[in-house]
Amino acid sequence: MSWWDGWSFEYPEAFAIFLLYLLCHRFCARRSPAFVFPDAALLARGSLIQWSWLSEAAAVLLLVTAVASPVVVKHHDPRNRIGADIVLALDASRSMSDFGFDESNHSLTKMDILKESSLRLIHNRLHDNIGLVVFGDFAYILAPLTFEKEVLEEMMGDVETGIAGDHTAIGDGLAQAVRLLESSQAKTKIIILVTDGINNRGKASPEAMAKLAASKKIKLYTIGIGKKGDVDEGALTHMAGLGGGKFFLANKRSRLDEVFEEIDQLERSPIKSRDYLIKEYYFQYPLALAVVLLLVPSLSRVLRGVR
């Protein structure tokens, strides 16, 4: 029962109440019809009763319309988006609190800069689902795959150095990232792993986890933060190669920004996601008009001094 595209009634069957009202008005016997006439001259106006009933009928119709709940339905289908499912796996070990990575602002730590660069990537990837993994002595999922960028921004604010311990469990971090993506239905699945050290904690082997990612068709990009020799370039390059991705070395902030910009050009593919509806309700407007129609005659009589 649509008026035009997007408009409909959530409970159109409620209009049967108005039909009952009309039938009752026509056929139901009235117990004692009585009207108050403050002026005998009004008796000559045969339209008075008719106008009174029309006002009442209009009020009832508006009340029934409110009960029927007029609504605007906006269909939103995420399956039509173009994007990827991406997991950022971030090193939060104690060494990420080192200063001097930004050549123009020595008061920022590596973690400060990594968070800023990650947030920029998140906001640029408007059509992607993104998840967050943090690792140190152990790894955990900070945020599951989500399209809500505001949620990711809030969760990123909770990331601090040492939050998962002082050391670097790269394999465990990669294992948690794979876990997030293994049930994804997206055609393009990507892990971006960022670290400033070498794997020195955890149970999972980075190489084994890279192979697992490849077996699940997950592309792996690795980023080493620091000067040459600070990170295990050989291991990170090998991991990225197994995962069908690429290794980047970022020795300063400007280079890290360039790396994230390059990754931002990743292939974008259709995402599968369930359809959902956005509804806007407008029952309050006919309800307000009905109340006005019901109150105005009474107020009018009161103002004229009629009881």
Side-chain angles (χ1 to χ4, degrees), residues 71 134 222 242 259 270:
V71 63
V134 173
T222 58
L242 290 172
V259 168

Side-chain angles (χ1 to χ4, degrees), residues 129-286:
N129 296 309
I130 299 178
L132 298 175
V133 168
V134 173
F135 61 91
D137 286 327
F138 57 92
Y140 65 94
I141 296 170
L142 184 65
L145 287 168
T146 179
F147 185 66
E148 301 297 331
K149 302 305 186 288
E150 295 79 7
V151 173
L152 292 170
E153 183 174 358
E154 183 177 344
M155 299 303 292
M156 188 70 77
D158 294 333
V159 179
E160 301 291 343
T161 54
I163 194 173
D166 295 341
H167 299 87
T168 311
I170 294 176
D172 287 1
L174 185 52
Q176 292 292 351
V178 172
R179 180 184 172 192
L180 264 183
L181 288 169
E182 61 185 356
S183 60
S184 167
Q185 298 300 310
K187 182 179 179 181
T188 302
K189 295 178 283 187
I190 300 163
I191 294 174
I192 302 172
L193 185 143
V194 187
T195 182
D196 74 334
I198 61 174
N199 186 67
N200 54 22
R201 280 293 188 279
K203 298 179 180 179
S205 161
E207 181 178 359
M209 291 303 101
K211 290 180 179 178
L212 179 62
S215 70
K216 296 182 180 296
K217 298 182 179 179
I218 300 172
K219 187 177 291 186
L220 173 61
Y221 288 84
T222 58
I223 302 174
I225 292 182
K227 297 178 181 178
K228 201 170 185 65
D230 290 345
V231 298
D232 191 342
E233 295 183 48
L236 292 175
T237 301
H238 182 55
M239 289 166 58
L242 290 172
K246 184 179 179 181
F247 165 71
F248 302 89
L249 180 64
N251 60 350
K252 55 185 178 179
R253 177 175 189 158
S254 57
R255 175 55 185 156
L256 181 62
D257 290 338
E258 290 174 1
V259 168
F260 273 104
E261 286 176 9
E262 183 174 341
I263 292 176
D264 189 35
Q265 303 305 313
L266 297 172
E267 175 188 0
R268 298 168 186 254
S269 303
I271 300 175
K272 291 183 180 179
S273 182
R274 64 187 180 91
D275 183 30
Y276 65 94
L277 304 177
I278 300 173
K279 297 182 178 181
E280 293 180 4
Y281 293 92
Y282 292 89
F283 65 87
Q284 62 272 28
Y285 300 108

Side-chain angles (χ1 to χ4, degrees), residues 76-122:
H76 183 75
D77 189 355
R79 289 174 296 184
N80 293 331
R81 295 202 319 262
I82 301 298
D85 281 0
I86 300 175
V87 174
L88 294 175
L90 308 180
D91 186 346
S93 61
R94 187 62 61 183
S95 58
M96 289 294 291
S97 61
D98 292 346
F99 297 94
F101 190 66
D102 186 336
E103 57 271 31
S104 61
N105 188 346
H106 294 284
S107 65
L108 295 176
T109 66
K110 285 190 283 188
M111 177 57 75
D112 294 331
I113 296 165
L114 175 58
K115 287 164 67 173
E116 290 179 8
S117 298
S118 298
L119 283 172
R120 192 177 303 113
L121 176 70
I122 287 170

